[in-house]
Amino acid sequence: MNEPVTPDPAPGPAAARRRWLIALAAVVAAAVIAWALYWLLVARFHTTTNDAYVAGDLVAITSREPATVLAVHADDTQSVRRGQLLVEFDPARAQVAMQAAEAELALTVRNVRAQFARVDQYEAQLAAARVQLAQAQEDSRRRAASAEGGAASAEEIRHAADAVTAARAALRAASSELSQARSMIEGTSVDDNPAVLAAIAKLRDAAITLSHMRLTAPVDGVVARRNVQIGQHVAPGTPLMAVVPLAGVWIDANFKEDQLEDVRVGQPATITTDMFGSRVVYHGRVLGLGAGTGAAFALLPPQNASGNWIKIVQRLPVRVALDATQLREHPLRIGLSVTVQIDTRDTSGPLVSPAVPAAGTQVPPDDAAVEADRAVARILAQGKADAPPR
């Protein structure tokens, strides 16, 4: 006869608690091991800060001349291209000054050509004075020879000698006038005469002033801080607007001084922004470390040598360059908050940035020089066409 099977007694509360504690200990141990592995393999080779912000150039558009605004072709938040017209001023006075400079150059060219022609005139007068002196001397010799035979009176001889003296004086005067005329043009041509060069400089100055009546964008970017209105009369140096080249922004990350032991120029960095969140990760590289802490360059730097002192960990700005392709896909704005993490495993880079020239912020040259050269060439060619043949 089979005996009934009795089930095992249910585990008591102590056994269940023991199993939960073992499971919890296993989870904690796994977490500690995972964190230790993460710190040994990843975390200790990275330094992170969220005290970081987007920075960039703020290219000011200012007036160079006193003028009245005729038109404004850009407004805040608008994108502009390099060379695009932004502001137009009333060019009336500048055009009048340009016309006056052209007229002065044309007059100066004609005066200089007259000086060259005057040299030819004085050379002809000097040649005539030499002929007159030779004739007077020959006449004086004839009179002297005739006086020996009684054919010429003493009065005629004196008149002949006076004629020689007058001819010599006329020769010296002609020679002096020729020397003076030559001194005005000696060693120069019409094109490089000092008077002509001075007039050309005035014309260039007028052309530059005229070119300042049109302000163009020096770089590609977005317009910001526009505060100019049509009809406004502005003085030289008045800020009208700014252009921010968003394609060239960077990150200024303020790391604590005890985080910078292994930071080197050229190390890779990853950046996340509050604007796009963790779904967009920017990649960059360290450009360099600041020359001083923020406190050192503050308007009122701390005076640690006076009074009671409390040690405060300082922060040093680290500049991080961003990938241009990522900036085009997800443009950033100046002042946005970001989080920067620098990979410090490779410490072979320099501690100080190498000396390299800044790029992308230069102002394009004005076309005023080209326009002035055209006006100068036209006036000089016209002067040569008007000059009489020599």
Side-chain angles (χ1 to χ4, degrees):
M1 185 174 179
N2 294 333
E3 296 180 355
V5 178
T6 59
D8 295 335
R17 188 181 305 111
R18 187 166 48 253
R19 282 197 297 269
W20 279 107
L21 289 176
I22 292 173
L24 179 61
V27 171
V28 171
V32 171
I33 293 173
W35 169 251
L37 291 175
Y38 173 77
W39 185 86
L40 288 173
L41 299 178
V42 178
R44 71 190 185 99
F45 297 111
H46 293 77
T47 181
T48 306
T49 183
N50 58 3
D51 185 3
Y53 305 92
V54 179
D57 293 314
L58 192 65
V59 182
I61 307 300
T62 60
S63 172
R64 302 182 185 180
E65 309 290 340
T68 302
V69 179
L70 282 185
V72 180
H73 299 281
D75 204 350
D76 287 342
T77 73
Q78 289 184 354
S79 297
V80 294
R81 303 292 295 177
R82 179 174 177 172
Q84 181 176 332
L85 183 62
L86 300 179
V87 181
E88 284 185 273
F89 296 115
D90 185 0
R93 291 186 179 276
Q95 289 173 347
V96 170
M98 183 69 177
Q99 294 170 358
E102 291 179 353
E104 182 178 355
L105 176 59
L107 180 60
T108 303
V109 169
R110 282 158 176 76
N111 290 337
V112 171
R113 292 197 178 280
Q115 292 176 0
F116 278 90
R118 197 172 296 116
V119 170
D120 296 339
Q121 175 186 352
Y122 290 144
E123 286 177 348
Q125 291 179 357
L126 181 62
R130 288 195 180 103
V131 171
Q132 292 178 356
L133 176 61
Q135 291 176 350
Q137 289 174 339
E138 181 64 23
D139 185 60
S140 178
R141 283 194 296 271
R142 257 194 335 266
R143 297 285 181 181
S146 300
E148 295 178 356
S153 64
E155 185 178 0
E156 290 177 340
I157 295 175
R158 284 197 303 272
H159 285 321
D162 292 340
V164 171
T165 302
R168 285 199 181 101
L171 179 63
R172 287 195 298 270
S175 178
S176 177
E177 290 175 344
L178 178 60
S179 298
Q180 182 179 3
R182 283 177 174 172
S183 67
M184 300 296 294
I185 62 172
E186 190 173 8
T188 66
S189 63
V190 174
D191 295 348
D192 59 3
N193 185 271
V196 174
L197 293 178
I200 291 175
K202 290 183 179 180
L203 189 146
R204 291 183 186 277
D205 181 70
I208 292 173
T209 301
L210 181 59
S211 70
H212 291 170
M213 298 298 104
R214 294 167 58 89
L215 299 183
T216 58
V219 293
D220 297 344
V222 176
V223 176
R225 298 169 59 180
R226 177 214 158 178
N227 55 7
V228 59
Q229 301 296 333
I230 296 176
Q232 179 181 352
H233 184 78
V234 297
T238 302
L240 307 178
M241 63 180 67
V243 177
V244 181
L246 295 182
V249 298
W250 61 85
I251 303 297
D252 281 335
N254 303 300
F255 285 92
K256 291 186 289 186
E257 52 190 320
D258 54 7
Q259 294 180 287
L260 300 174
E261 178 182 0
D262 296 326
V263 175
R264 300 291 186 272
V265 176
Q267 289 175 338
T270 55
I271 301 98
T272 57
T273 66
D274 294 350
M275 180 177 182
F276 296 109
S278 59
R279 66 183 182 86
V280 177
V281 178
Y282 295 87
H283 299 279
R285 61 184 180 86
V286 176
L287 285 181
L289 283 71
T293 65
F297 292 112
L299 182 61
L300 297 174
Q303 299 295 326
N304 294 330
S306 61
N308 296 327
W309 171 74
I310 299 175
K311 179 177 175 61
I312 299 175
V313 177
Q314 301 296 313
R315 289 183 179 266
L316 190 72
V318 177
R319 178 164 293 191
V320 179
L322 295 170
D323 182 76
T325 303
Q326 292 182 310
L327 281 177
R328 285 193 295 269
E329 295 174 353
H330 298 90
L332 296 174
R333 268 64 176 178
I334 292 178
L336 293 179
S337 300
V338 301
T339 300
V340 177
Q341 184 180 77
I342 299 176
D343 186 345
T344 59
R345 281 176 290 188
D346 183 6
T347 57
S348 61
L351 285 169
V352 180
S353 303
V356 293
T361 57
Q362 67 272 16
V363 177
D366 293 332
D367 295 332
V370 178
E371 297 297 329
D373 289 341
R374 291 175 181 172
V376 169
R378 172 175 54 80
I379 294 173
L380 292 179
Q382 184 178 1
K384 291 177 181 179
D386 295 342
R390 298 184 62 180

